[in-house]
Amino acid sequence: MQSTGRAILQASGGKPERKRENRSPRLVVHNSIVGYVGRMSDSLHRQVCFALYAASRAATAVYRPLLEQLGLTYPQYLVLTVLWENDGVTVRDLGRSLELDSGTLSPLLKRLEAAGMVQRLRSVADERRVEVHLTEEGRALQEKARHLPQQVAQAAGLESGELRALQETLTKVTKALRTAAR
């Protein structure tokens, strides 16, 4: 494999960076450019948006094995979390709560329905509205999943006050960025 990497580097004319202290180089192929890079470039490291992105992916990676034990993905868990607090919410309101468009939410609900976790029903009051209801199986998962947020918070290595402050800061940043994007 290493000789293949060298051959690719030679064919592309690229030269690997020298190994720097505290960095483990790795072969990267992107848009026909081949070379070795460190873990993170300095300019990338200074970008707040990348730190948010990386933290989100890291949190999801902690959730993943915990949710696999329940037969759920992270987006499915988020849907169920909303429903555990407000069963029978409309698809529209669920999308607003999760900040998902119908093109993303509909297949997600379809998979949860096929798994027997939720049921979509037309509203008795207004047939144009579709409500999402938990099944017994969906309700039963709430007890099994109730410790997940604490497990992830513990994995984050922050005290409860730090976690609250982080959540408040992230909420403030989200609100400001949404306003700026309009």
Side-chain angles (χ1 to χ4, degrees):
M1 184 74 171
Q2 282 183 331
S3 62
T4 304
R6 285 188 195 117
I8 293 171
L9 283 172
Q10 289 170 354
S12 69
K15 294 187 178 188
E17 290 182 7
R18 292 183 188 262
K19 186 172 181 178
R20 294 182 191 172
E21 196 173 314
N22 296 328
R23 291 190 184 196
S24 50
R26 57 192 164 111
L27 183 65
V28 175
V29 179
H30 180 65
N31 294 338
S32 301
I33 299 171
V34 180
Y36 283 91
V37 296
R39 284 185 291 207
M40 190 183 316
S41 72
D42 291 336
S43 61
L44 186 60
H45 181 69
R46 288 189 298 268
Q47 292 185 27
V48 173
C49 289
F50 182 78
L52 292 170
Y53 169 76
S56 176
R57 288 183 47 87
T60 302
V62 172
Y63 267 109
R64 188 173 299 112
L66 302 172
L67 291 170
E68 282 175 355
Q69 295 173 13
L70 302 176
L72 296 173
T73 64
Y74 185 69
Q76 291 170 336
Y77 169 71
L78 294 177
V79 167
L80 292 175
T81 299
V82 172
L83 294 173
W84 290 330
E85 290 182 12
N86 192 14
D87 193 12
V89 68
T90 65
V91 171
R92 183 178 183 177
D93 289 340
L94 183 60
R96 284 181 182 158
S97 294
L98 296 170
E99 301 182 22
L100 295 175
D101 61 43
S102 62
T104 302
L105 184 57
S106 292
L108 185 54
L109 292 174
K110 188 175 184 178
R111 285 191 301 274
L112 282 170
E113 196 167 28
M117 305 289 178
V118 302
Q119 188 175 25
R120 293 180 286 181
L121 301 170
R122 295 260 172 220
S123 170
V124 176
D126 183 351
E127 288 190 13
R128 295 173 297 179
R129 297 170 62 142
V130 176
E131 298 171 343
V132 184
H133 297 271
L134 289 164
T135 62
E136 287 302 317
E137 191 174 341
R139 278 187 210 90
L141 275 181
Q142 183 176 12
E143 180 58 29
K144 294 177 183 176
R146 72 182 178 98
H147 295 294
L148 294 180
Q150 292 88 352
Q151 290 175 298
V152 174
Q154 185 178 15
L158 299 175
E159 299 295 324
S160 61
E162 291 174 307
L163 284 170
R164 275 191 299 279
L166 176 60
Q167 194 275 334
E168 290 170 6
T169 300
L170 290 173
T171 299
K172 184 178 177 180
V173 167
T174 302
K175 184 178 178 180
L177 290 174
R178 278 198 194 110
T179 301
R182 289 185 198 162

